[in-house]
Amino acid sequence: MRQVLLISFVLAAVASPRTAAADGKSAFVAPKDGALVVFIQNAPDDRAMNYIVFNADKQCLAEVGGREAEVIPMNPGRHTLYVTAYNNHRVDLDLVAGRTYFIRLFSVEKIATRVSDVTPVQRGTESYKLVKSWLRGARVMQGIDDPCRGKPLKERANRTQKRLNEANADWKNGDELYRFNYRLLKEDGFTADEVGWL
């Protein structure tokens, strides 16, 4: 009798479709009253590089290391974030509750050095199609557990201000296309159903 019940249970479990969105167990499904921002650093050449994400108040949100996908819970609304590594970037976000937004962090080789860059995943772009491959093999980290979260950066305050000023100057001096490339809009977020295919 036990074997029959066990076999029935196994068959029922196998027959019922299970997606991350349906069972709510995916780390990438945003809560109904909040948004998630996921920073992905998964380039093989970047394993030794740490990217620091901080806000306009100069408080650290996350330190993202190699082969990580750091999940940061955030309130819906407009936010300006800064990413620093080899150089500094500003990213403007307009978040809506119940959606998950992705940002890729990576570096590229230049003539004598490396430079870091940021790719916000925007709906309808090539990056939107590449998220699944970028997440492959990355360890999922919960940003709320990041030891730097809510603290000033581990450097002199004037150095952090310089980083912020440089990123804001690039933003101001760039054209509309430049600013668009470093912006996430409400509709760029993945719904719970869309997260299911990741």
Side-chain angles (χ1 to χ4, degrees):
M1 181 67 175
R2 281 189 202 165
Q3 287 179 327
V4 171
L5 286 174
L6 180 61
I7 291 170
S8 298
F9 177 76
V10 169
L11 288 175
V14 169
S16 61
R18 294 180 51 129
T19 65
D23 65 18
K25 293 180 180 175
S26 171
F28 302 129
V29 175
K32 291 181 182 176
D33 60 347
L36 294 179
V37 179
V38 181
F39 292 92
I40 308 164
Q41 188 212 357
N42 204 14
D45 296 341
D46 251 1
R47 282 190 294 269
M49 186 68 222
N50 274 352
Y51 291 77
I52 310 293
V53 181
F54 63 103
N55 62 20
D57 295 327
K58 304 176 199 167
Q59 300 297 301
C60 184
L61 294 181
E63 276 188 51
V64 186
R67 305 200 48 93
E68 288 182 357
E70 185 111 15
V71 182
I72 309 293
M74 296 190 71
N75 292 325
R78 295 179 184 272
H79 302 269
T80 298
L81 300 182
Y82 299 87
V83 179
T84 183
Y86 294 107
N87 47 330
N88 309 299
H89 294 280
R90 170 180 164 167
V91 182
D92 276 16
L93 315 172
D94 190 3
L95 309 177
V96 67
R99 292 205 179 206
T100 303
Y101 300 81
F102 294 89
I103 299 174
R104 181 182 183 224
L105 311 174
F106 64 100
S107 70
V108 291
E109 188 83 39
K110 290 293 183 179
I111 295 169
T113 186
R114 294 188 77 81
V115 295
S116 56
D117 207 348
V118 174
T119 301
V121 175
Q122 299 166 331
R123 192 172 292 274
T125 65
E126 188 67 20
S127 63
Y128 193 83
K129 300 172 190 171
L130 292 172
V131 173
K132 187 172 185 175
S133 64
W134 290 341
L135 288 170
R136 194 173 296 125
R139 289 176 299 136
V140 178
M141 310 294 286
Q142 298 298 324
I144 53 174
D145 299 325
D146 196 307
C148 91
R149 187 167 172 84
K151 298 176 183 173
L153 302 194
K154 296 177 185 175
E155 61 185 10
R156 293 190 307 266
N158 61 351
R159 178 69 180 135
T160 302
Q161 185 62 51
K162 183 179 177 187
R163 292 182 189 280
L164 197 143
N165 292 345
E166 287 174 0
N168 283 336
D170 289 344
W171 183 270
K172 182 179 176 184
N173 295 330
D175 59 14
E176 193 53 41
L177 179 60
Y178 173 89
R179 288 188 287 276
F180 176 79
N181 287 331
Y182 292 101
R183 183 178 285 147
L184 282 174
L185 305 176
K186 291 176 182 176
E187 59 267 23
D188 292 323
F190 285 59
T191 64
D193 288 338
E194 290 170 328
V195 164
W197 64 262
L198 297 176

